Amino acid sequence: MTTLLKSATIIDPQSPFHNQTKDILITNGTISEISDSITVNDEYTVVDLENLHVSTGWFDTSVSLGEPGYEERETIQHGLQVAAKSGFTQIAINPNTTPIIDNKSLVEFLINKATNSPVNVYPIGALTQKSKGVEMAELFDMQQSGAIAFGDYNKPIENDNLLKIALLYAQNFDGLVMSFPKNKKIAGEGVANEGVNATILGLKGIPNLAEEIQVARDLFLLEYTGGKLHIPTISTEKSAQLIREAKEKGLQVTCSVAVHNLTLTDDLLHGFDANVKVNPPLRTRKDVDALIAGVKDGTIDIITSDHNPIDIEDKKVEFSIAKDGTVGMESAFTALHTIFDLETIVNCMSTQPKRIFGISENSINKDQVANLTLFNPKGEFEFSEENIVSTSKNSIFIGHKLKGEVYGIYANEQLVLK
């Protein structure tokens, strides 16, 4: 199979063709030619789209799919189509299924379900058995079967010694430990950011301190043990500052932030729309500005959609009892492009996540394997339910003005266009 991408603007700082508009010829999954103009052959599949841009394929490091156990929310097969049409050639799948992904057989199940898909799947194994936070799971066995990191999705490790032991143990096989930043005792029964909006609306608040005290603890433990720690989806100014200081000390710590925590604030609580109920919660404009600054100065390494489909029965209920989570892959790029340039987006959704999670990356150059995202950065539109490809429709971005359009991907010798 030969595919020709016509007049594609290349966004790849590692490529000699960065910011240049070229024709790209892909033969049997490998880039065979890049030049100003390539003659069309009848046997070619030609992609000639308005203002076509290509970058190295995007990698979403926090994706929840329902299968196994919650197939009504999303199946793996359909979720991979969502990823492809949203521009992601690789996704890391969280272990929050039933059963929890806490052993090698379940890791292999996820990988096998994605066989022959254009999107590569990388399971995140649970750090503790059944994600209960009591006993450490079979980390080494899971890594040998394909798990790329270990963490209990949206569940903090409350036992300090357990996290200490995990950080020490994982060094034996260069494992990456993830620790969700939330102190449950301080957060209590909070359902939204503790602040003016929650107070006005009578909602129980989750203070910034609940996140920051956990981040501080984790960094103290990391300094003691060594090893590699990834702190997913931070949401406050102080968290970013603590991680910035830890990096300056030379600690091997990385972190991510969810798209919605970078672009939206807790002002959206008015209206009690359960789609805006996420974990961590939307914070204030001050926090959002600090997170944006953290992305720009390199403190925050990764931007994730934190895609989490929730069925209507768990969202169309009273705000305080609705489940946390939003679908996010479909809106990730177009929401980010309202605040960041293309190089920043590609760095935080492709280059950095692959480096941190140990995924090989190919530049856009001749004789390189083609792993590409296709998109158009121009144009504005209002995101609606019609833009949601996921089975579940719980998007936090419905009704928001977003920028650009994702066309699809080329990966694993397959072209997927919306």
Side-chain angles (χ1 to χ4, degrees), residues 182-367:
K182 183 177 184 179
N183 183 296
K184 290 176 68 174
K185 292 181 180 177
I186 293 177
E189 297 179 356
V191 296
N193 178 56
E194 182 181 85
V196 173
N197 288 313
T199 301
I200 291 172
L201 298 171
L203 297 173
K204 293 181 179 179
I206 302 173
N208 286 19
L209 179 65
E211 175 174 304
E212 296 153 2
I213 199 169
Q214 198 82 351
V215 170
R217 182 210 67 167
D218 291 352
L219 294 174
F220 267 113
L221 288 171
L222 179 66
E223 189 169 11
Y224 177 81
T225 61
K228 297 191 301 184
L229 176 68
H230 180 70
I231 302 177
T233 57
I234 66 170
S235 68
T236 78
E237 178 183 22
K238 182 66 174 177
S239 292
Q241 181 58 32
L242 288 167
I243 292 168
R244 184 178 292 114
E245 293 167 358
K247 287 187 171 189
E248 291 170 355
K249 288 182 180 180
L251 300 185
Q252 290 191 77
V253 60
T254 55
C255 66
S256 68
V257 62
V259 173
H260 44 268
N261 287 112
L262 273 173
T263 54
L264 305 173
T265 72
D266 65 349
D267 289 342
L268 292 181
L269 290 172
H270 296 271
F272 297 99
D273 181 0
N275 283 337
V276 309
K277 188 171 185 246
V278 288
N279 187 18
L282 299 180
R283 302 289 187 182
T284 65
R285 172 49 57 184
K286 183 182 179 185
D287 290 306
V288 169
D289 289 343
L291 294 173
I292 291 172
V295 169
K296 291 180 177 179
D297 70 18
T299 298
I300 297 172
D301 307 274
I302 294 171
I303 301 174
T304 173
S305 73
D306 201 23
H307 181 86
N308 191 5
I310 303 295
D311 54 86
I312 192 170
E313 287 83 1
D314 289 311
K315 274 295 187 182
K316 291 291 184 180
V317 293
E318 184 181 338
F319 188 92
S320 61
I321 62 174
K323 288 190 179 297
D324 301 320
T326 175
V327 293
M329 286 195 286
E330 299 98 316
S331 52
F333 169 74
T334 50
L336 285 178
H337 197 35
T338 63
I339 54 173
F340 291 124
D341 60 42
L342 296 179
E343 286 189 20
T344 299
I345 295 171
V346 171
N347 182 52
C348 291
M349 289 211 305
S350 179
T351 306
Q352 288 287 76
K354 291 173 188 175
R355 176 186 65 82
I356 290 165
F357 284 84
I359 309 301
S360 61
E361 180 178 29
N362 301 309
S363 65
I364 301 177
N365 205 349
K366 187 177 178 181
D367 298 327

Side-chain angles (χ1 to χ4, degrees), residues 7-11 17 19-22 51-55 375:
S7 300
T9 302
I10 296 170
I11 306 298
F17 303 104
N19 277 334
Q20 298 179 36
T21 300
K22 300 286 185 180
N51 194 36
L52 175 62
H53 284 56
V54 299
S55 73
F375 60 96

Side-chain angles (χ1 to χ4, degrees), residues 66-99:
E67 190 177 358
Y70 303 106
E71 285 82 359
E72 73 279 4
R73 297 178 183 177
E74 191 70 274
T75 63
I76 293 173
Q77 184 177 9
H78 188 260
L80 294 176
Q81 285 296 310
V82 175
K85 292 177 180 180
S86 302
F88 294 99
T89 61
Q90 293 134 323
I91 60 172
I93 295 186
N94 293 315
N96 56 326
T97 52
T98 299

